[in-house]
Amino acid sequence: MERIVQRCTPSRPKSRIHMPHLLPLFAAASVALCASAMAQSIAELDRIVAVVNSDVIVESELDKRVREIRTELRQKGTKAPDIAALKRQVLDRLILDRLQLQIAKESGLRIEDEELNQTIERIAAGNKLSLRQFRDVLERDGLAFSRFRDQVRDEMLLTRVRQRSV
């Protein structure tokens, strides 16, 4: 018995995949995937609406304050002016406040925590609420207590600056 062994040889040679040729392809695919992921996670940057000496007022700050004022006006039953006029008024007020807070800082004016706490307790008592209840009401209305404290501190500083200038 004779064994016949046939070797199958393809008519063309097998192509070999060379890694150096694939690296640019993988790199391009990686860049495309990263760019796609970054495009989805890119957030619009805040726009500067005013520069007050070395400080800036950004659009998100202005918009937030406008929303707060519109909510306050609605709660009081007062008709709000048109949005463009309200934005101008709020921006003017933010600029003036920022200037006065800078004056307070340069003058060395400070509101101590104890004085701030007493003022907030008086505000809560004026609303016939305990401090805890007052804090809960603020949070329920969407205002973080820390932000409220900062607002009260700023208002106290503004009052002192105004009293000094008078």
Side-chain angles (χ1 to χ4, degrees), residues 13 88 100 102 125 129:
R88 279 192 305 275
Q100 291 175 340
Q102 289 173 4
L129 298 169

Side-chain angles (χ1 to χ4, degrees), residues 73-130:
L73 291 174
R74 227 178 288 120
Q75 289 173 347
K76 292 178 182 178
T78 306
K79 186 177 183 286
D82 72 281
I83 193 72
L86 183 60
K87 270 191 166 188
R88 279 192 305 275
Q89 292 171 356
V90 170
L91 181 58
D92 288 346
R93 178 62 191 253
L94 286 171
I95 291 169
L96 182 61
D97 288 352
R98 204 58 66 87
L99 283 169
Q100 291 175 340
L101 288 170
Q102 289 173 4
I103 290 169
K105 185 176 182 179
E106 290 168 5
S107 302
L109 291 176
R110 291 181 31 93
I111 303 296
E112 298 300 325
D113 285 339
E114 185 57 36
E115 184 181 1
L116 178 62
N117 292 338
Q118 289 173 356
T119 301
I120 292 173
E121 286 172 7
R122 279 195 304 272
I123 293 170
N127 286 290
K128 297 182 173 113
L129 298 169
S130 70

Side-chain angles (χ1 to χ4, degrees), residues 16 19 33 36 38 45 62 79-80 86 94 113 122 128 135 140 142-143 145-146 163 166:
R16 288 185 142 171
M19 286 304 283
L33 286 173
S36 172
M38 285 176 61
L45 295 177
L62 174 62
K79 186 177 183 286
L86 183 60
L94 286 171
D113 285 339
R122 279 195 304 272
K128 297 182 173 113
R135 190 178 196 154
R140 190 172 46 244
L143 182 61
F145 188 70
S146 60
Q163 287 172 342
V166 170

Side-chain angles (χ1 to χ4, degrees), residues 52-70:
V52 184
N53 292 326
S54 61
D55 205 358
V56 295
I57 298 171
V58 291
E59 191 170 31
S60 63
E61 181 181 0
L62 174 62
D63 291 342
K64 185 174 185 175
R65 189 67 187 126
V66 166
R67 280 192 308 273
E68 289 171 353
I69 289 174
R70 291 183 83 190

